[in-house]
Amino acid sequence: MFFAMLFVIWAWAVSVASPEGFEQVQSIMDGIIGKVIAIGTLSALIYHTLGGIRHVVMDMGHWEELESGNLSAKVIIALWVILTIVLGVVLW
Amino acid sequence: MVTSQADVKRNGVQDYVSLRTTAAIIFAFSVFMAWFFISTDNITFIEWHGLFSGILMKVFTLATLVSIMIHVRIGLWQVLTDYVKSTKIRVVVQWVLNLIAFAYVLVGLFVLWGV
């Protein structure tokens, strides 16, 4: 995600700076490369966020046994897959 | 116990709190941007430029970039200390990545400056 930020920051900087820059970024984003980078980055962000939320819940003392820990991990992965698909559909 | 406020040394509790606070800010920004992209049908330069022209959004964006820098600094330290056992390599990698994260903030600052 850290290296995806390289692309995100570049795209944002160029697109906000000028209308020409905006067109350039827009054309990239409409292309396959842009879409793959976007969905990849967003999917990683979703997974990272879900994992983070799970950690915060664990900070509060839940899901600390083997079964509950394992189950919550599986739920996160399922949620991640669903949300990635939902986001993919919504954005395109 | 001598506590020196002069240096920027952190402790585990501070890392713990900073990591979660920055995560909350980044999460809020991500949700806001997701909502923006989903709720605005066709985004033209005017909307996009307009979004970042307000002072509130500029502060929010810069706060997020700084939060990412702090989040990365702590998070990558945790990851690298787990996986990169040779201190020399780990320290160099950390130094480079933190520098890049810092550069992200500066780029963001000057982009926002110009909007």
Side-chain angles (χ1 to χ4, degrees), chain B residues 10 13-23 70-71 74:
Chain B
R10 306 185 317 277
V13 173
Q14 196 174 10
D15 278 3
Y16 178 97
V17 173
S18 307
L19 202 65
R20 281 148 182 83
T21 314
T22 51
I70 296 167
H71 198 77
I74 299 167

Side-chain angles (χ1 to χ4, degrees), chain B:
Chain B
M1 181 187 84
V2 174
T3 57
S4 141
Q5 291 307 318
D7 58 22
V8 189
K9 206 168 72 59
R10 306 185 317 277
N11 55 53
V13 173
Q14 196 174 10
D15 278 3
Y16 178 97
V17 173
S18 307
L19 202 65
R20 281 148 182 83
T21 314
T22 51
I25 297 168
I26 302 162
F27 179 64
F29 187 82
S30 310
V31 167
F32 174 77
M33 290 309 284
W35 170 82
F36 171 77
F37 281 112
I38 292 167
S39 65
T40 356
D41 295 337
N42 45 15
I43 301 167
T44 64
F45 176 73
I46 295 121
E47 278 107 12
W48 184 240
H49 186 271
L51 174 66
F52 290 99
S53 46
I55 186 71
L56 257 179
M57 188 56 185
K58 286 187 179 182
V59 168
F60 192 21
T61 310
L62 192 58
T64 303
L65 283 172
V66 171
S67 297
I68 290 172
M69 182 177 72
I70 296 167
H71 198 77
V72 161
R73 182 175 156 69
I74 299 167
L76 281 181
W77 175 79
Q78 291 176 346
V79 170
L80 290 175
T81 41
D82 286 352
Y83 295 114
V84 178
K85 284 311 172 189
S86 103
T87 311
K88 283 196 189 64
I89 300 170
R90 176 171 64 81
V91 165
V92 169
V93 170
Q94 261 176 255
W95 184 76
V96 169
L97 295 183
N98 283 321
L99 213 58
I100 296 171
F102 184 49
Y104 287 158
V105 174
L106 296 180
V107 166
L109 175 67
F110 288 113
V111 166
L112 290 170
W113 197 309
V115 172

Side-chain angles (χ1 to χ4, degrees), chain A residues 15-38:
Chain A
S15 61
V16 167
S18 67
E20 302 74 32
F22 184 85
E23 255 79 46
Q24 185 194 354
V25 171
Q26 194 161 36
S27 62
I28 292 174
M29 290 315 288
D30 288 340
I32 289 301
I33 307 157
K35 287 183 180 176
V36 166
I37 291 178

Side-chain angles (χ1 to χ4, degrees), chain A residues 1-80:
Chain A
M1 252 185 328
F2 183 79
F3 294 110
M5 278 284 291
L6 212 59
F7 175 77
V8 171
I9 297 275
W10 171 81
W12 170 66
V14 165
S15 61
V16 167
S18 67
E20 302 74 32
F22 184 85
E23 255 79 46
Q24 185 194 354
V25 171
Q26 194 161 36
S27 62
I28 292 174
M29 290 315 288
D30 288 340
I32 289 301
I33 307 157
K35 287 183 180 176
V36 166
I37 291 178
I39 199 69
T41 309
L42 289 171
S43 178
L45 180 61
I46 289 170
Y47 184 80
H48 191 80
T49 306
L50 288 173
I53 292 167
R54 178 169 168 263
H55 266 79
V56 168
V57 171
M58 286 196 288
D59 291 343
M60 291 182 272
H62 306 287
W63 299 344
E64 282 171 348
E65 294 73 29
L66 190 59
E67 308 75 27
S68 53
N70 212 339
L71 177 67
S72 60
K74 288 188 181 121
V75 165
I76 293 289
I77 292 170
L79 257 175
W80 167 54

